[in-house]
Amino acid sequence: MSLETIQIEHVPATHRVHVALFRDVSNADFLQSQLLARNADFEYAFIDASSVASRLQLLSAVYRALTNLIDGTLQTNNVHSEVVISLSPSNNIAEAYRRWGITLGKTKDIVVAKIIYPPSLPSPSEDSTAPAPTLPTTEDIWAHLSENVKGTPVPLSDEQISKSTDWPKLRKYYALNGLPVLAKITDEAAKVKEMERLIIMRMALRGL
Amino acid sequence: MATHAPPVEFALPQVLTYPASTPPFLVAQGAEGRLYKTTHITSSRPCALKYRPSKSYRHPILDARLTKARIQAEAKVLDRCCREGVPVPAVYALDAGGGWLMMEWVDGVPVRQGINVWLGERPEDDAVPDAEVADETPLVDLMNRIGEAVGALHRTGVIHGDLTTSNMMLRPWAGGQSNGVSGEDGEKKKAVGGDVILIDFGLATQSVADEDRAVDLYVLERAFASTHPRAERLFTHVLEAYKQAYKKAPSVIHKLEDVRMRGRKKSMLG
């Protein structure tokens, strides 16, 4: 099973994060249509892998979305779309969906993030005999994902992500072109590391 | 310190009450905030979390507004510095409403400590020049790196506001450039080696006025003289390197003369 369960630091034990990476997805358009239809079965963050630089970047966005979820400060409908906009350095939600979400006819590799958390507790005065809704298990999610995403699952490692990354695009999205700090670095690997650092910083500063 | 009563247990900020691989460690505590060492995303990524607790003596609305504005200002300054290549820690995450800012963890010790190790732990006897005055090059090099860092900062249009040798870290060089030298000499050399990283931008402002830059330098000069009286004469090297790193330095140094004559405050208010 290529669905990874991740323990992120400083996230309540009640919240669970799953991630996966699919290559050469043939039904990206279908997946997008399900998101647009707000089909509750398709509550995932589908992210265009070419707009992702690293695992750390992705998880930083997941962390921010979780923080907003816990604080009740979500800016979008649900925590999954919040993951997508948390990747963006700007407050323009439509633009964030365009750049980091699925693009019709273009998106090939897809990063999936799924956040499982208990629904807000009903007040105790209400019918307490009602059974607590059961949360889907990791197997349930994987079954649904592997059935509906037509692509090749691969582990979500930095190495696999880097194969999809479109750096010229990312440099534009995060305004990294012509930065003095990058001009000074000659080593290619060090440059990528520095860009990742700046990208995470841009994401953290969204909205300031 | 250990002999006194146990330190006051502060209430943790909400964000630190959730599970993490290692418990948060209170590194420092100031009037305005507390600094914890903790982790970001994965257990292998250490970070510093600066938390500004709410002040009960302030009106709640004002309190929330001040805290938020200060966290945001600090994050913006760090972002600007990082993009321009000024050596500062990167911002990992923040919650201005919650009053916290998560930053890159900088390894090493404060410059203050490095210089003191170099000078030895003797009491201040700056009048007596050491007979066996060893080669001072490593310390002079450190002064140069300090000047360079401050020059880069001012070039970017940022005023630190609280430049001291405690607000600069010495991040050890990867290989350790003093290998080959052993014994006490090697240890001392190592103590002043490393990259200078500027930290604590809690009082930083963005300004392009020479006056503000001169005051920044003046604060450093005074702090340096009182923290390291025996190395005071080496401060000129900081200014020299500053001039090299920052092309408008001459007019700032000129202003610095004025500031030295009258002190930090221009307006005599406050």
Side-chain angles (χ1 to χ4, degrees):
Chain A
M1 184 166 71
S2 294
L3 185 69
E4 192 188 342
T5 308
I6 298 185
Q7 189 53 57
I8 297 182
E9 299 284 88
H10 307 300
V11 169
T14 47
H15 293 53
R16 237 163 64 218
V17 177
H18 298 293
V19 292
L21 172 57
F22 289 90
R23 276 203 194 293
D24 303 311
V25 177
S26 56
N27 64 338
D29 295 3
F30 164 75
L31 297 174
Q32 197 209 30
S33 70
Q34 296 307 303
L35 293 180
L36 291 177
R38 301 239 172 114
N39 182 344
D41 293 337
F42 282 81
E43 266 218 17
Y44 298 102
F46 288 124
I47 299 152
D48 192 322
S50 67
S51 303
V52 178
S54 72
R55 226 176 121 86
L56 201 56
Q57 178 207 10
L58 173 75
L59 296 182
S60 297
V62 171
Y63 179 64
R64 176 155 192 185
L66 274 165
T67 312
N68 291 354
L69 174 72
I70 293 161
D71 294 350
T73 52
L74 289 183
Q75 292 178 6
T76 54
N77 290 314
N78 62 63
V79 68
H80 296 102
S81 48
E82 197 79 6
V83 171
V84 178
I85 67 156
S86 295
L87 284 160
S88 171
S90 91
N91 271 334
N92 187 331
I93 292 177
E95 183 190 79
Y97 288 164
R98 251 195 332 272
R99 291 180 165 184
W100 282 272
I102 295 173
T103 310
L104 286 181
K106 275 197 183 152
T107 302
K108 209 160 74 35
D109 306 333
I110 295 181
V111 173
V112 184
K114 172 77 177 170
I115 295 166
I116 306 285
Y117 58 98
S120 43
L121 297 170
S123 52
S125 61
E126 274 176 44
D127 182 16
S128 55
T129 54
T134 49
L135 298 175
T137 64
T138 311
E139 285 74 24
D140 293 342
I141 297 162
W142 179 244
H144 185 260
L145 264 182
S146 51
E147 186 183 321
N148 286 288
V149 180
K150 306 282 180 237
T152 318
V154 291
L156 188 93
S157 62
D158 276 337
E159 198 203 344
Q160 289 289 350
I161 293 173
S162 68
K163 287 181 187 165
S164 310
T165 309
D166 179 351
W167 276 107
K169 198 166 85 174
L170 284 190
R171 292 178 77 112
K172 181 184 152 212
Y173 288 177
Y174 292 103
L176 301 179
N177 286 316
L179 276 190
V181 61
L182 293 175
K184 279 194 291 191
I185 305 173
T186 46
D187 178 53
E188 214 36 56
K191 196 172 244 178
V192 167
K193 213 69 223 135
E194 183 63 31
M195 286 196 281
E196 183 196 42
R197 190 172 114 111
L198 291 168
I199 285 174
I200 290 173
M201 203 148 162
R202 287 268 96 170
M203 285 163 42
L205 266 84
R206 175 173 62 87
L208 296 199
Chain B
M1 242 191 0
T3 56
H4 294 309
V8 189
E9 280 293 329
F10 292 109
L12 286 173
Q14 181 76 45
V15 59
L16 290 181
T17 60
Y18 300 126
S21 54
T22 44
F25 172 74
L26 184 63
V27 181
Q29 172 209 167
E32 290 287 326
R34 303 202 277 268
L35 192 78
Y36 293 93
K37 181 177 185 180
T38 177
T39 41
H40 175 238
I41 305 291
T42 67
S43 55
S44 58
R45 191 165 150 90
C47 73
L49 186 131
K50 187 171 190 171
Y51 173 55
R52 289 178 178 271
S54 66
K55 305 248 175 238
S56 53
Y57 55 78
R58 285 197 296 235
H59 187 279
I61 294 176
L62 177 66
D63 181 65
R65 214 181 271 178
L66 283 175
T67 302
K68 193 172 172 191
R70 285 172 185 172
I71 293 278
Q72 286 178 341
E74 186 167 352
K76 279 184 200 169
V77 163
L78 289 172
D79 180 54
R80 182 156 181 188
C81 287
C82 268
R83 294 169 74 79
E84 299 288 333
V86 184
V88 301
V91 175
Y92 286 169
L94 65 105
D95 178 355
W100 58 264
L101 177 67
M102 225 183 242
M103 289 168 287
E104 184 180 355
W105 180 259
V106 180
D107 279 320
V109 298
V111 167
R112 167 180 48 75
Q113 197 178 324
I115 295 179
N116 283 340
V117 169
W118 171 270
L119 293 174
E121 300 298 343
R122 289 167 301 165
E124 301 159 18
D125 54 340
D126 47 317
V128 193
D130 254 336
E132 79 277 30
V133 154
D135 181 18
E136 274 188 331
T137 322
L139 188 55
V140 171
D141 283 349
L142 174 57
M143 298 295 125
N144 288 334
R145 294 199 301 281
I146 294 172
E148 248 170 64
V150 178
L153 180 76
H154 284 181
R155 199 174 54 217
T156 312
V158 172
I159 305 299
H160 185 283
D162 188 19
L163 276 180
T164 62
T165 47
S166 301
N167 282 338
M168 298 171 185
M169 295 294 287
L170 264 180
R171 185 169 59 198
W173 284 310
Q177 291 205 348
S178 63
N179 42 6
V181 192
S182 57
E184 202 188 329
D185 243 32
E187 282 303 303
K188 281 175 77 177
K189 238 178 212 177
K190 217 172 166 183
V192 289
D195 292 322
V196 171
I197 314 285
L198 304 173
I199 59 164
D200 192 359
F201 285 73
L203 292 171
T205 48
Q206 308 209 21
S207 160
V208 288
D210 283 344
E211 165 72 25
D212 297 331
R213 291 178 176 131
V215 169
D216 224 18
L217 285 181
Y218 177 71
V219 169
L220 177 62
E221 190 177 58
R222 291 297 293 262
F224 195 87
S226 59
T227 326
H228 316 287
R230 284 188 293 137
E232 191 180 354
R233 70 207 145 77
L234 295 179
F235 192 78
T236 50
H237 294 285
V238 174
L239 294 180
E240 275 311 309
Y242 178 81
K243 278 187 213 160
Q244 297 294 320
Y246 173 45
K247 94 175 168 292
K248 289 186 194 146
S251 58
V252 178
I253 305 275
H254 187 72
K255 261 277 192 300
L256 179 59
E257 305 283 340
D258 298 349
V259 179
R260 278 184 189 134
M261 297 293 289
R262 58 146 222 259
R264 189 167 64 84
K265 295 279 187 194
K266 190 174 190 179
S267 62
M268 296 293 165
L269 293 173

